[in-house]
Amino acid sequence: MASIFSPSTVPVFLLLVLVLLGRLGEARDPFACDPNDRATKNLPFCKVSLPIRVRVKDLIGRLTLQEKVTLLVNNAAAVPRLGIKGYEWWSEALHGVSNVGPGTKFGGPFPAATSFPQVITTAASFNASLWEEIGRVVSDEARAMYNGGMAGLTYWSPNVNIFRDPRWGRGQETPGEDPILAGTYAASYVRGLQGTNGNRLKVAASCKHFTAYDLDNWNGIDRFHFNAQVSKQDIEDTFDVPFRMCVKEGKVASVMCSYNQVNGVPTCADPNLLKGRVRGQWRLNGYIVSDCDSVGVFYTNQHYTSTPEEAAADAIKAGLDLDCGPFLAVHTEKALEKGLVTEGDVNGALANTITVQMRLGMFDGEASAQPYGKLGARDVCTAAHKELAVEAARQGIVLLKNRGPSLPLSPRRHQTVAVIGPNSNVTVTMIGNYAGIGCEYTSPLQGIGRYAKTIHELGCTNVACSNDKQFGSALNAARQADATVLVIGLDQSIEAETVDRVGLLLPGHQQELVSKVAAASRGPTILVLMSGGPVDVTFAKNDPKIAGILWAGYPGQAGGAAIADILFGAANPGGKLPMTWYPEEYLKSLAMTDMAMRPRRSKGYPGRTYRFYNGPVVYPFGYGLSYSHFLHTLASAPKTVSVPVHGHRHGNTTNISNKAIRVRHARCGKLSVSLHIDVKNVGSKDGSHTLLVFSAPPAGNGHWAPHKQLVAFEKVRVPAKSQQRVKINIHVCKLLSVVDRSGTRRIPMGVHNLHIGDVKHSLSVQAETLGIIKS
């Protein structure tokens, strides 16, 4: 285990100093309202007994115009005369406290933080309670680092964009391709980060990047210039769903608008998106921030306005509260002078940001007296946190192939294991992007070495695998060993922010390495793939010499330990793919810039994600094997459900409602159907099983409906030879509805087919007409 900090390597006296520093860090100077500052401690904005809105109004009323403008940007200036320190808003916590943003740094008593698996990997667990628990741990460590003066309290995470195109370099940051999965992840992780203490915030999360953002740099088109042409239908039923759930169910304190334009308007300058949808329809209780330099981008790169003052005014009037970047600080005052924006508009933006700071307790005086004020260095990288990082990786790893079965390996029969491949001994690769510094790292080689004697050969120097010069030694290792584990795939040189992929095959000569090693191997050959996006490994799927395939995503600081635990059966795999794995041929003539989700068969356009594409796949969404075998039985489920709906005097809405009711005409409330499902583990190993419930809407809905859509999922632990009953609730209006071409959400009447594994249940949805109302 490669540890950056362990008691065995640090002198005792230094440990005492670090502990002392950690405790001193718990008593940081107040951000504002210092009880020792006689000039400010009795001002109304410092009185915690007053409502926050009163305190905010008082503070804004005391600021000069020049001071207000300096607070519109991420590196907000200090206001010394009011006892307010400067604040850096930009911190990141995608899957652990990160030092990507300038608001967080590592050092002193805080050399590291727990680095969990990349989001795409944890999403594969389909375990909402795990996501929330990870959020709680991350926010504990974030608060501890804030108390120690090393971090902020505003974290621009999670990324809940839809993984629409398999080439997207940032798909690894997302929860995958399904809107309900992504939205559930968003709400769960945000609850973990922010806490559930009413209006009080532990840290403030931000769901990003709103909206229809999923292209970084493809075929000469980059995110700074891209205009995403998106239908109302796709906006409503795909791209906006995770953000709506993040705001309405997760109660997130911030939303970040994106670089791209949507239908010709920059998202950070679109009042319909920001004021109308996020703050108006969804009722965001928080602030809206730009992606970094987005305001400058839509002026300089997109030439959306003629002057920088117009750009500043457009952003503020659209509903942007905070600019990540200097643009608003530089140009807002002149925009005010020109009458393009009012001081009232600026006050509105500040009210939203300062309200969040007050909810965080930043204006409550002594930090150590606050609910999380006692957290310090001893609360970072704890044994429990590190164990959760291992467990998260175990739950996210997906078993794709197990011929024979050949897995799990046996420490008795497989005493010597050849560990081969460019990712076989990596550490930092395992934590993906938007990561910090892990507490300690366990590489795949180190993890496997805990179970067997290893023979290590890279085969390729790196994932580019530009030649076969090291193949010979790799083949020799495979010939000598009782089993061979090839750890290959991608890394941030292949897929990352600003780096979209050009294809889905393994880079360079990796496929050749795999096939030759498998042919030479004396024992079973197991392929372990590290990647964020899907990889076309059809060759390995079909090769009888390759006994097993695991997808590990980017499994975090303890990824090697989790991989080895799965390989040797100490843990039973239960992950499911959160995205479709397409063959390389899928990309033929498929422009990454085409945002349409639904197929256009007349033009040869295949559609995107499992909901709309039903062509050939390497592995489908939701696929994943186990060392156990689980059987489903539907214990009870209703056969019909009635949707109360108002009739209409005008138009033919009543007739239409016999086919598909507008959701806004239905009395939805908590209308739901409950399924009771028995899950039996008929295998010999205890295991966790993911129940995925899909709904196929009635036929005849044309372009409204997907082939099927995920409506519920649940993780259940089932001991060997035993059975567990699981209750699933499906909200009828939210989850059985589809969206028509005009972007209107409707509930189709008729038979909806629910699929739970190999169990199918028909549910008849009927309209129950209430009183007549005007259209």
Side-chain angles (χ1 to χ4, degrees):
M1 180 176 292
S3 174
I4 65 164
F5 174 74
S6 65
S8 63
T9 60
V10 180
V12 172
F13 78 92
L14 184 54
L15 279 174
L16 292 174
V17 171
L18 290 172
V19 170
L20 179 61
L21 284 170
R23 294 185 183 277
L24 289 174
E26 296 160 22
R28 71 176 289 155
D29 292 336
F31 166 76
C33 302
D34 189 335
N36 297 316
D37 185 350
R38 294 181 180 178
T40 63
K41 67 178 183 179
N42 291 320
L43 294 176
F45 71 81
C46 289
K47 293 185 176 179
V48 296
S49 59
L50 293 175
I52 284 180
R53 67 179 185 280
V54 174
R55 299 169 66 196
V56 170
K57 183 177 180 181
D58 175 74
L59 174 55
I60 292 174
R62 295 174 186 276
L63 296 169
T64 67
L65 179 59
Q66 290 72 27
E67 288 167 341
K68 290 175 182 177
V69 168
T70 66
L71 299 180
L72 292 173
V73 290
N74 62 289
N75 57 338
V79 186
R81 69 182 185 84
L82 295 177
I84 301 171
K85 292 182 170 60
Y87 179 68
E88 176 55 69
W89 285 81
W90 181 6
S91 289
E92 302 278 357
L94 183 68
H95 52 107
V97 179
S98 167
N99 56 353
V100 169
T104 303
K105 55 186 179 291
F106 292 107
F110 300 96
T114 310
S115 194
F116 290 93
Q118 182 60 287
V119 175
I120 195 71
T121 308
T122 10
S125 72
F126 283 84
N127 188 344
S129 61
L130 173 68
W131 304 330
E132 187 167 342
E133 180 60 25
I134 290 172
R136 278 195 289 269
V137 166
V138 172
S139 57
D140 274 354
E141 298 195 350
R143 266 286 177 172
M145 292 182 68
Y146 172 77
N147 294 339
M150 302 294 280
L153 289 176
T154 45
Y155 289 85
W156 295 345
S157 306
N159 179 343
V160 297
N161 293 118
I162 295 297
F163 198 169
R164 171 187 62 94
D165 190 292
R167 292 164 288 193
W168 188 30
R170 300 187 73 177
Q172 59 181 293
E173 301 173 30
T174 77
E177 71 181 38
D178 181 81
I180 297 299
L181 171 61
T184 305
Y185 176 90
S188 302
Y189 188 61
V190 165
R191 277 192 294 268
L193 286 176
Q194 296 189 164
T196 54
N197 187 16
N199 199 41
R200 189 86 182 192
L201 293 170
K202 188 178 180 186
V203 303
S206 182
C207 279
K208 62 184 185 184
H209 313 78
F210 186 70
T211 183
Y213 169 78
D214 50 22
L215 176 148
D216 268 63
N217 192 349
W218 176 81
N219 203 30
I221 300 166
D222 66 39
R223 58 186 176 168
F224 304 126
H225 298 86
F226 181 49
N227 176 21
Q229 297 286 342
V230 192
S231 70
K232 291 179 180 179
Q233 188 178 38
D234 287 340
I235 282 280
E236 170 63 28
D237 86 344
T238 298
F239 296 110
D240 276 7
V241 172
F243 291 95
R244 182 171 64 241
M245 293 176 68
C246 188
V247 174
K248 297 185 73 171
E249 298 176 24
K251 310 296 183 187
V252 76
S254 173
V255 169
M256 176 185 284
C257 52
S258 53
Y259 290 117
N260 56 291
Q261 296 183 357
V262 174
N263 299 327
V265 183
T267 64
C268 293
D270 191 337
N272 294 321
L273 290 181
L274 306 188
K275 276 188 174 177
R277 197 171 304 164
V278 176
R279 197 170 294 285
Q281 295 175 26
W282 302 343
R283 313 300 296 172
L284 172 72
N285 179 18
Y287 71 98
I288 298 174
V289 62
S290 72
D291 204 344
C292 294
D293 294 317
S294 285
V295 184
V297 162
F298 76 67
Y299 168 67
T300 304
N301 299 65
Q302 298 172 8
H303 309 294
Y304 184 69
T305 62
S306 300
T307 68
E309 294 80 19
E310 289 172 331
D314 281 3
I316 293 170
K317 289 190 295 185
L320 186 72
D321 302 311
L322 186 72
D323 177 19
C324 177
F327 200 91
L328 292 188
V330 174
H331 300 291
T332 299
E333 201 166 344
K334 190 167 283 189
L336 284 157
E337 291 171 5
K338 291 183 175 182
L340 299 171
V341 67
T342 68
E343 189 169 355
D345 295 325
V346 173
N347 290 347
L350 292 178
N352 291 325
T353 54
I354 294 170
T355 295
V356 167
Q357 289 181 309
M358 288 193 176
R359 292 172 63 197
L360 287 161
M362 294 173 67
F363 286 83
D364 290 359
E366 195 64 55
S368 61
Q370 295 179 29
Y372 309 105
K374 300 299 183 185
L375 293 169
R378 65 188 179 279
D379 301 298
V380 180
C381 288
T382 67
H385 294 182
K386 290 187 282 189
E387 176 55 34
L388 185 63
V390 183
E391 179 58 24
R394 291 187 194 112
Q395 290 196 29
I397 291 172
V398 182
L399 177 61
L400 297 173
K401 178 181 179 180
N402 192 11
R403 188 171 180 269
S406 299
L407 290 172
L409 299 176
S410 164
R412 181 178 55 81
R413 295 194 311 275
H414 306 109
Q415 296 182 14
T416 302
V417 177
V419 184
I420 296 169
N423 281 337
S424 58
N425 198 29
V426 295
T427 53
V428 175
T429 294
M430 298 189 301
I431 61 177
N433 70 351
Y434 277 81
I437 299 172
C439 309
E440 54 193 27
Y441 300 95
T442 305
S443 73
L445 176 65
Q446 291 169 317
I448 294 167
R450 296 173 178 176
Y451 288 94
K453 178 184 176 183
T454 58
I455 308 171
H456 182 228
E457 293 292 342
L458 285 173
C460 301
T461 304
N462 51 43
V463 295
C465 199
S466 57
N467 60 64
D468 61 359
K469 291 180 180 178
Q470 299 182 56
F471 281 20
S473 54
L475 298 179
N476 286 336
R479 293 185 185 105
Q480 298 173 44
D482 300 318
T484 298
V485 176
L486 279 150
V487 192
I488 60 166
L490 314 178
D491 64 15
Q492 302 305 304
S493 69
I494 305 294
E495 54 175 358
E497 186 170 14
T498 75
V499 183
D500 293 328
R501 294 158 67 193
V502 295
L504 303 180
L505 300 175
L506 287 167
H509 293 268
Q510 284 196 48
Q511 178 171 327
E512 182 186 354
L513 171 67
V514 171
S515 296
K516 287 186 173 179
V517 166
S521 182
R522 190 179 79 194
T525 298
I526 311 300
L527 191 61
V528 177
L529 290 159
M530 283 192 199
S531 71
V535 182
D536 182 353
V537 288
T538 303
F539 80 97
K541 177 183 177 182
N542 296 333
D543 187 343
K545 289 288 290 179
I546 296 173
I549 304 175
L550 290 178
W551 175 71
Y554 293 120
Q557 64 178 38
I563 289 167
D565 287 347
I566 298 286
L567 288 174
F568 284 90
N572 193 348
K576 305 285 185 183
L577 291 178
M579 71 298 203
T580 303
W581 283 38
Y582 304 92
E584 176 74 5
E585 293 73 30
Y586 171 75
L587 302 180
K588 186 179 181 181
S589 304
L590 180 63
M592 199 170 170
T593 50
D594 194 324
M595 301 294 292
M597 298 299 296
R598 289 156 171 81
R600 298 189 299 273
R601 292 183 178 85
S602 62
K603 296 185 178 180
Y605 184 75
R608 295 183 181 274
T609 77
Y610 80 91
R611 294 163 66 226
F612 302 107
Y613 168 76
N614 64 359
V617 299
V618 181
Y619 293 108
F621 173 89
Y623 182 81
L625 305 174
S626 171
Y627 296 152
S628 297
H629 182 57
F630 298 94
L631 299 177
H632 306 118
T633 306
L634 195 60
S636 66
K639 294 184 177 179
T640 63
V641 61
S642 296
V643 180
V645 58
H646 293 289
H648 288 256
R649 281 203 180 98
H650 301 294
N652 60 353
T653 309
T654 302
N655 292 332
I656 293 173
S657 74
N658 293 327
K659 296 180 180 177
I661 299 169
R662 292 188 180 201
V663 166
R664 65 186 177 88
H665 291 162
R667 291 183 59 179
C668 295
K670 295 182 179 179
L671 181 65
S672 62
V673 295
S674 294
L675 312 179
H676 292 85
I677 303 155
D678 289 332
V679 180
K680 187 173 185 180
N681 181 352
V682 297
S684 59
K685 293 181 72 70
D686 297 351
S688 291
H689 180 62
T690 300
L691 271 176
L692 300 178
V693 184
F694 295 94
S695 171
N701 288 292
H703 285 284
W704 297 4
H707 307 305
K708 63 177 182 177
Q709 57 189 5
L710 185 69
V711 294
F713 58 89
E714 193 69 41
K715 196 85 167 182
V716 57
R717 181 78 178 168
V718 188
K721 308 299 182 183
S722 68
Q723 180 172 293
Q724 296 285 347
R725 178 161 293 183
V726 181
K727 182 181 180 182
I728 298 282
N729 287 320
I730 301 170
H731 191 283
V732 173
C733 295
K734 288 180 183 177
L735 298 170
L736 297 184
S737 57
V738 297
V739 177
D740 67 18
R741 290 178 178 177
S742 67
T744 300
R745 189 168 284 276
R746 297 177 179 271
I747 310 164
M749 298 297 100
V751 176
H752 294 244
N753 287 310
L754 302 178
H755 298 265
I756 310 107
D758 53 0
V759 173
K760 178 180 173 181
H761 176 69
S762 296
L763 176 69
S764 177
V765 179
Q766 303 169 354
E768 178 188 349
T769 305
L770 301 176
I772 302 296
I773 62 172
K774 292 183 179 180
S775 296

